[in-house]
Each structure stands twice: as structure tokens, then as C-alpha cells.
Amino acid sequence: MAHETLRHGLWLLLVALAIAHMANAGDADITSDFIIPPDLKVVDGRFFTSTSFRALANSTKPTTFKVTKASMVEFPALNGQSVSYAALQYPPGTANPPHTHPRSAELLLVMSGSLEVGFVDTTNKLYTRTLYAGDMFVFPKGLVHYQFNPNNTSYSSQTLAISAFGSANAGTVSLPATIFATGIDDTILATSFKTDVATVQMLKAGLAPKP
């Protein structure tokens, strides 16, 4: 009886530890105020400053969907800080295709224009909303989501949005690129999507990098 009680207790402990690990999954805690790259000799205020978003005000408007990131890759001071940004520019009629962020939720703020957004939960239920300047929308961590600028009437109908992430490197997995531009066999894709190889090859050609 005592053996059974001990085994049951250990099982409950393992389950509790697993749940706690899942609940706290994300960037690892650091044991210092910040992380300095090993090749950096002098640390001052410049290390904690990024000017990459200045280009949003000074550059010409893009003709295709454009993302300007401020993650630990572009802004090393974010390493260990569990936060990052992205600026997203949507010309009329363009989309940020269905994708996921495996390491963070995304909080999107529309700065100008409008967006149609949506995400799909693990029961395959779709949640959608039309957003306008000043609106925010949260995409839960790891779920497939998208954004689309429905305004296709004029060049001035550009949309600008800022996304915040609870990770210094949230990661982006683009579904079209991951499925059709990574070398998965044509027959496997045709079987999976219940279509033919010719259709798969057309999709792959459309996603191939432009020369």
C-alpha cells in the first residue's frame, strides 16, 4: 500500500512539473541585468538603442508587404529581455500570409489604415476581425494567423502596424514557404492536399525566389 501511495505521489509530482514547464515555456531567465556580446568592448547607451524604425518615416512606401524587425538578431541588446518588435507595412491588396510564431504571442497595433486579421485555434475554429487605426488584436502563441489589407483602390491606402512579442526571438514559420519552398516531395504534397503534382509544381514556382 505504501509503495502504491509513493508511486501515485511521484506520478502527480511529474505531472505537476510538466504543467509548470509548459506554463513557463518561453525565453530563459537570465542571471545578469543584460547580456553583452563577447566581441563588444565598450558598452554605453548606444548598445541599448535601435534606430531601425526611423526608416518608416523617411523611406518611400513599399510596393509589396514588408516587415522591419527589431529582434535580438537586429538589436542584440534584446537578448535575454523577452521582448521584441516588428513594423509591418501593407500596400493595398497585400497580405502577411498564414504563419505562426512558435515562441511568443503577438500583440498587433494598427497605426494607420485598416486590416482584416484572423487566427485558427487548435479546434480549427477561425476568429476574424477588421481593425482600424488605434485598434489592437492579440494572436495567441503558436497559432496560425494572418493579416490582409483589403484596400486596393489607391496607393495612399497603405496600412502600418506595429507588433510586440513576448520573446527576443519569437520566430516565424510561414506556412506557404514552409510547405512549398523547402523541398518536400511533390507526390507527398499532392497526396496531402488531395491534388495533383502539376498543381503542386505551379505553387512551388510561384513561391520560388525572384532572380
Side-chain angles (χ1 to χ4, degrees):
M1 181 67 179
H3 178 72
E4 287 296 321
T5 302
L6 178 60
R7 188 171 67 175
H8 184 65
L10 288 173
W11 172 249
L12 290 176
L13 178 61
L14 288 172
V15 171
L17 289 173
I19 293 173
H21 175 75
M22 289 186 291
N24 292 300
D27 291 2
D29 288 334
I30 60 175
T31 56
S32 59
D33 294 337
F34 44 84
I35 298 174
I36 302 172
D39 59 343
L40 188 64
K41 305 303 181 185
V42 178
V43 177
D44 55 22
R46 288 173 294 184
F47 174 65
F48 302 97
T49 303
S50 172
T51 60
S52 60
F53 283 11
R54 288 184 183 180
L56 299 175
N58 301 325
S59 65
T60 58
K61 294 179 180 179
T63 57
T64 59
F65 170 71
K66 181 179 179 181
V67 180
T68 303
K69 295 183 179 181
S71 71
M72 60 178 281
V73 176
E74 299 81 17
F75 190 9
L78 297 182
N79 189 9
Q81 302 303 320
S82 299
V83 66
S84 58
Y85 272 129
L88 306 105
Q89 295 170 275
Y90 311 80
T94 62
N96 187 3
H99 62 282
T100 70
H101 302 294
R103 292 183 287 275
S104 176
E106 174 182 358
L107 181 61
L108 180 140
L109 169 63
V110 178
M111 304 297 295
S112 63
S114 64
L115 281 178
E116 293 181 6
V117 303
F119 72 86
V120 180
D121 71 10
T122 54
T123 68
N124 288 330
K125 181 177 179 179
L126 174 64
Y127 298 82
T128 63
R129 189 71 174 173
T130 299
L131 306 178
Y132 301 94
D135 292 347
M136 288 188 287
F137 192 88
V138 63
F139 301 102
K141 179 180 177 179
L143 297 185
V144 174
H145 59 280
Y146 64 87
Q147 302 108 28
F148 173 64
N149 180 356
N151 302 301
N152 55 13
T153 56
S154 68
Y155 181 71
S156 62
S157 299
Q158 293 246 349
T159 295
L160 171 65
I162 302 293
S163 285
F165 301 93
S167 169
N169 187 14
T172 300
V173 179
S174 169
L175 269 63
T178 299
I179 294 171
F180 294 104
T182 55
I184 298 176
D185 183 80
D186 293 349
T187 302
I188 294 173
L189 291 176
T191 302
S192 300
F193 286 91
K194 301 185 186 306
T195 185
D196 52 65
V197 169
T199 300
V200 168
Q201 291 176 342
M202 288 177 60
L203 290 167
K204 285 187 171 183
L207 291 166
K210 299 295 187 293

